[in-house]
Amino acid sequence: MLETFVKYGAPEEILYDAKPHIGTDRLTGVIGNIRRAIEEKGGEVRFQTRLSRIIIESSHVRGIETEHNGVIDQIETDDLILAIGHSARDTFYQLYSQGVPMQAKEFAVGFRVEHPQDFISRAQYGDQAAAVLPPAPYRLSMNGERRHVYSFCMCPGGYVVNASSEQGLLAVNGMSDYARDSANANSAIVVSVGEGEYDLNDPLGAIKYQRSLEKRAYDLCDGLIPQQLFADFVSDKESSCYGDFESLTKGGHKLTNLRGIFSPDIENAFIEGMNYFDKRIKGFARPDAILSGVESRTSSPVRIPRDSSFQSSIRGLYPCGEGAGYAGGITSAAMDGVRVAESFEMRASL
Ligand SMILES: Cc1cc2nc3c(=O)[nH]c(=O)nc-3n(C[C@H](O)[C@H](O)[C@H](O)COP(=O)(O)OP(=O)(O)OC[C@H]3O[C@@H](n4cnc5c(N)ncnc54)[C@H](O)[C@@H]3O)c2cc1C
């Protein structure tokens, strides 16, 4: 995968770096190059075109229906690789209504947490080395009695991003440019959720839970990213100004009180995790660490089961990548795509 990324324009150091980093600004060019290579081989990309329905006969894919600017089209096919990502909620609902088997999954929720990058680099490397080394990353994890708390998608020199995908709902994520040259480090600090929060027997239960969190986050500041300083979160007090540093976001933001988005149990696990991480990185739980809500897309809320041939019990349907629940992150989603394509190719050649 890494070689493929480099072939299409990613920086060469990802081939030997232990934590490969492409950067959002360079990744967009890489994706364009991959698309052009697919087109040169005869593939076709239909932008702004939605898979609106799968045509299924006798539990076998027979085609798909697409929608573009209100125009419905049909494509006949016996095979469909379904790689829709983890946020295609309308499509999950559509597939479920058509009888495609799926299961709710456990995942994790929390806040994006910002610190000054210089502070993180000094804590990780020491003052002297921090002056010459690239911005430091970190990875933190705590296995609590009931819940796992961990850092996710850590972005050195990055930005908090408004990554919402539905009207009236709000979700955040993080990104770094190739240079990782912003003044802040950020990561999601997330708490594992599952049966206690939603019904795992309801295949759409985790999606409903995600939506309820994202609605609360949206309503807090009328669609702006709601933020709070860590000390104020602990004392359940609305934040009124930043501390020693300001937030760096893509999208508007506003200080508020984030209490009440999650249950008290999750809030307590989050605070416990932050204090535990403070023992690993001194000052991690500093009072002016900035929290942004909500992180609700750490992995897919559903799994679309598949057998050893990578097919659903709807034959010809190949659930693939992060949305199908078999990957988390760019590289593992890409590797899952390769696995599905290889298995598909092998069967086609028989
Ligand atoms: C801001 C941000 C930062 C991230 N940073 C990182 C990072 O640093 N490292 C990392 O490893 N991961 C990161 N991720 C996660 C990463 O983007 C995903 O893990 C990865 O893209 C999953 O790949 P995928 O191909 O399974 O799904 P996706 O990349 O989500 O692709 C799914 C595609 O299917 C399309 N689609 C959905 N439904 C339909 C339909 N009905 N009809 C037609 N098309 C449809 C979607 O529009 C989308 O283009 C980040 C995500 C975000 C949002």
Side-chain angles (χ1 to χ4, degrees):
M1 278 326 305
L2 296 176
E3 283 167 3
T4 303
F5 280 133
V6 170
K7 181 175 168 193
Y8 291 104
E12 276 203 43
E13 65 261 26
I14 66 169
L15 296 178
Y16 56 82
D17 198 327
K19 292 196 173 78
H21 168 62
I22 298 177
T24 303
D25 49 340
R26 291 191 66 168
L27 186 61
T28 48
V30 174
I31 298 299
N33 292 340
I34 292 175
R35 170 169 55 79
R36 280 182 281 280
I38 290 170
E39 286 168 341
E40 276 163 23
K41 288 179 188 294
E44 185 190 337
V45 177
R46 298 191 180 181
F47 288 103
Q48 305 298 323
T49 304
R50 195 168 64 90
L51 163 77
S52 48
R53 193 169 71 89
I54 305 178
I55 300 163
I56 301 170
E57 284 169 16
S58 311
S59 294
H60 202 297
V61 172
R62 292 292 173 227
I64 61 165
E65 200 171 82
T66 63
E67 188 257 313
H68 173 77
N69 283 342
V71 179
I72 305 286
D73 197 4
Q74 282 197 355
I75 302 173
E76 274 182 32
T77 178
D78 290 333
D79 298 294
L80 172 64
I81 297 177
L82 187 76
I84 54 175
H86 64 27
S87 293
R89 293 170 181 165
D90 54 345
T91 311
F92 287 134
Y93 270 75
Q94 170 64 27
L95 299 181
Y96 184 63
S97 76
Q98 289 196 252
V100 173
M102 54 181 76
Q103 304 160 346
K105 226 173 105 282
E106 294 176 335
F107 64 112
V109 300
F111 298 114
R112 183 104 342 215
V113 180
E114 282 176 277
H115 298 90
Q117 179 61 54
D118 183 54
F119 158 77
I120 293 290
S121 294
R122 283 168 189 272
Q124 294 286 73
Y125 297 146
D127 289 348
Q128 266 189 327
V132 291
L133 289 174
Y138 58 79
R139 183 174 287 178
L140 299 162
S141 165
M142 180 193 84
N143 269 319
E145 255 178 47
R146 293 188 47 232
R147 295 184 189 273
H148 186 199
V149 186
Y150 58 97
S151 64
F152 171 81
C153 183
M154 194 272 151
C155 302
Y159 299 88
V160 177
V161 177
N162 185 333
S164 309
S165 57
E166 283 183 289
Q167 281 292 333
L169 307 185
L170 190 143
V172 292
N173 209 309
M175 57 152 274
S176 302
D177 284 331
Y178 173 65
R180 290 180 158 166
D181 56 359
S182 98
N184 288 358
N186 73 62
S187 75
I189 298 295
V190 291
V191 178
S192 58
V193 292
E195 188 60 54
E197 283 66 46
Y198 46 85
D199 181 3
L200 276 169
N201 293 316
D202 174 3
L204 303 174
I207 296 181
K208 292 173 193 162
Y209 175 67
Q210 275 181 324
R211 278 184 162 153
S212 70
L213 301 177
E214 292 174 13
K215 171 145 180 40
R216 277 179 221 146
Y218 184 96
D219 288 346
L220 267 179
C221 297
D222 209 16
L224 299 176
I225 297 171
Q227 297 188 323
Q228 189 174 22
L229 306 195
F230 180 62
D232 294 334
F233 183 78
V234 172
S235 36
D236 192 2
K237 187 182 105 196
E238 181 172 328
S239 292
S240 53
C241 61
Y242 296 105
D244 278 353
F245 70 105
E246 302 241 331
S247 176
L248 292 171
T249 65
K250 303 278 185 189
H253 53 98
K254 195 176 168 192
L255 288 167
T256 182
N257 187 350
L258 295 170
R259 286 281 189 155
I261 295 180
F262 303 117
S263 67
D265 191 43
I266 295 174
E267 291 179 343
N268 290 339
F270 173 80
I271 294 170
E272 195 191 339
M274 288 289 289
N275 290 330
Y276 181 83
F277 300 151
D278 196 77
K279 296 188 188 111
R280 299 281 172 281
I281 297 178
K282 190 88 204 98
F284 194 83
R286 55 191 274 172
D288 62 350
I290 303 167
L291 319 183
S292 295
V294 293
E295 278 283 348
S296 51
R297 314 272 183 97
T298 48
S299 69
S300 184
V302 301
R303 174 169 291 114
I304 306 181
R306 63 188 189 193
D307 63 15
S308 57
S309 70
F310 296 90
Q311 293 178 77
S312 157
S313 59
I314 306 289
R315 305 316 279 170
L317 179 66
Y318 296 77
C320 174
E322 189 158 30
Y326 295 98
I330 295 169
T331 309
S332 63
M335 285 168 63
D336 194 58
V338 171
R339 272 200 302 267
V340 169
E342 282 175 351
S343 138
F344 180 76
E345 193 182 30
M346 215 164 65
R347 250 189 325 287
S349 67
L350 289 177

